[in-house]
Amino acid sequence: MADTKREIERKFEFSKAKSARRGVPDLTGTAAIAAVSDQGTVDLDAVYYDTPDQRLAADGLTLRRRTGGADEGWHLKLPVSPGVRDEIGASLSDTVPPALAALVRSRVRGAGLRPQVRLVSSRRLSHLLDAEGALLAELSTDEVLAERGESTAAWTEVEVELADGVDPELLDAVEKTFRKAGLRVSAAPSKLARALAETDAEPPARPEAGGPEGTTGAHVLAYLREQRDALVAQDPAVRRGLPDSVHQMRVASRRLRSAFKTYRKVIDRAATDPIGEELRWLAAELGVDRDQEVLLERIQTRLGELPRTLLIGPVRSRLRVWNTARRSGSRRRALAVLDSARYVALLDSLDALLEAPPLKGAAARPPESLLPKAVLRDYERLAGRIGSALSLDEGHERDLALHEARKAAKRLRYAAESAEPVLGGPAKHLAKAGKSVQNLLGDHQDSVVAREALRGLAVQATGAGESAFTWGVLYAREESLAERRERELPDTWAKAADPALRSPL
């Protein structure tokens, strides 16, 4: 795969024929632009690929094979935010490169990619330079001809793309100059989107079954679609190894599973339970590498807190060896999961559920009457688990009970957050309370896991003839931290259990 670059651009179109005849105004003197250097004209020929039902276009992705220009080849563009996309390139070939096909697999699945639209452009290119001659941006004026079957469309488009590291405020200054000259920001986010619109081939709207607007069913299904979309959108980020992507994908899967349980009176669990088990499998498989990364960071932090006099033996090299052994092949394992038929079947089952949801009678009720009850049920579940955990003596059984309470706190938080659009502040406050309990119990559970790892490191060090002293010190510190969290729990829980938080519901 070729380089990935962040593309920050703004597209413009002429608002009137008169302004089009005048052409693009001279940008010299606009903000930091000291000179405009003509780079000549180049002919571009791009064929855009998508599924027959345009799944990529529906989500704002574009995949093209382009000849002509300095960067001819395959380009996949993934939306980041309005006006910002990540462009991933691959060398020119006759078929879609496997690396790019993998990045769109969560959307394409078994539908296949086929040529959909051809765009032929004559591009006049200029460089916008600062006073030192450094490149600020590229200015392109494109005469575009779109072809889709027998349909065609033609237009002129002006595009300004920033060079790396240039302040996006330059685009605002350019827009101001352009506006005075009769150019406006294009309504279409991309050439492909405009081509589809002007050839009457815009992506079909996704079906949104779920009962009449304003019902509990409609609210719950909107939330489930949001999480499904997040799951699908994080797939290419995980494949690219982007920071926090695995965590965000796991969060989406957990929110889906949690919602299935919280709203069991709205949507039939006979249909959702099997999908929930598959979501559990996905989160567990993806978590192997992430959990090890978090554990390593925790132990490294604890090592950094120790005085040098307590670092006995080759502790850092021992930690590296241990980490390498545990993480060996974990990324390959995660990618294999995303390439598996089981994963694709999970995505298909989510789509099928959302397209024909097995709603129960309560789904027709107003959300204001049903959501509070669902959230409060999850609160009662958490209260029961906290009570059970606090009744146990310190030790392994209590650790397990606190871990179960942590999962219940997370479920309460997710339930309250999902209800915020309807219930507003009361749900937000209860979600915050659930999160405080979740965070405290999460730190406790991380300490439990860290102690087991530290014990293993001590055994390995001893077996290699090294001192296990430092690992013992860290173990004792983690044990002390866990005890401190257990002492803090009653007060934290008392605040979260304040009846004033629940009475508005």
Side-chain angles (χ1 to χ4, degrees), residues 1 20 51 59 87 103-105 127 133 149 181 220 227-228 232 234 272 283 291 315 328 340 378 380 396 452 484 494:
M1 187 181 295
T51 61
D59 285 349
E87 180 179 287
L103 293 176
V104 297
R105 188 167 186 261
H127 284 174
V220 170
Q227 303 312 317
R228 184 274 313 275
V232 170
Q234 286 300 326
T272 61
D291 289 347
V315 290
S328 177
S340 69
D378 283 344
E380 294 298 336
H396 179 66
E452 183 61 28
R484 187 160 64 250

Side-chain angles (χ1 to χ4, degrees), residues 297-458:
E297 290 175 357
R298 186 180 183 96
I299 296 175
Q300 286 177 326
T301 298
R302 297 292 182 260
L303 277 174
E305 295 168 351
L306 290 181
R308 295 176 65 88
T309 53
L310 298 184
L311 299 178
I312 308 300
V315 290
R316 296 193 184 279
S317 61
R318 168 59 52 194
L319 184 61
R320 283 194 297 271
V321 170
W322 169 84
N323 182 60
T324 299
R326 287 173 65 106
R327 295 185 73 173
S328 177
S330 59
R331 174 160 173 76
R332 289 194 300 274
R333 177 176 173 178
L335 294 180
V337 167
L338 298 184
D339 286 335
S340 69
R342 183 176 180 179
Y343 169 64
V344 171
L346 166 59
L347 297 180
D348 286 342
S349 65
L350 279 170
D351 287 352
L353 178 80
L354 294 172
E355 288 171 9
L359 296 178
K360 303 176 77 171
R365 294 169 55 187
E368 295 83 0
S369 68
L370 195 142
L371 295 187
K373 296 178 182 178
V375 172
L376 291 175
R377 277 198 304 271
D378 283 344
Y379 166 81
E380 294 298 336
R381 179 172 176 270
L382 170 60
R385 292 196 177 185
I386 290 286
S388 295
L390 291 177
S391 69
L392 297 172
D393 293 333
E394 292 184 10
H396 179 66
E397 292 302 319
R398 190 181 197 188
D399 288 343
L400 292 177
L402 290 172
H403 182 45
E404 291 302 311
R406 177 201 177 205
K407 291 189 284 187
K410 187 183 298 184
R411 179 162 148 185
L412 170 63
R413 172 193 168 190
Y414 290 164
E417 288 175 347
S418 73
E420 275 185 41
V422 173
L423 304 181
K428 182 177 181 179
H429 298 150
L430 192 57
K432 184 177 180 181
K435 185 177 180 179
S436 68
V437 177
Q438 175 194 334
N439 287 344
L440 184 147
L441 294 177
D443 199 23
H444 180 276
Q445 176 62 17
D446 288 348
S447 177
V448 171
V449 174
R451 275 179 280 157
E452 183 61 28
L454 290 167
R455 181 180 179 280
L457 281 161

Side-chain angles (χ1 to χ4, degrees), residues 140-156:
S140 304
T141 304
D142 294 345
E143 302 292 338
V144 184
L145 173 64
E147 301 173 350
R148 186 187 65 84
E150 299 299 319
S151 301
T152 62
W155 68 89
T156 299

Side-chain angles (χ1 to χ4, degrees), residues 4 67 74 81 123 142 161 224 239 249 268-269 321 326 345 347 367 372 375 410 412 422 454 462 474 489:
T4 299
T67 57
W74 287 88
S81 60
R123 167 170 292 181
D142 294 345
E161 181 179 343
L224 293 176
R239 293 176 186 274
M249 195 171 188
D268 192 350
R269 286 191 65 176
V321 170
R326 287 173 65 106
L347 297 180
V375 172
K410 187 183 298 184
L412 170 63
V422 173
L454 290 167
T462 301
L474 293 182
L489 178 58

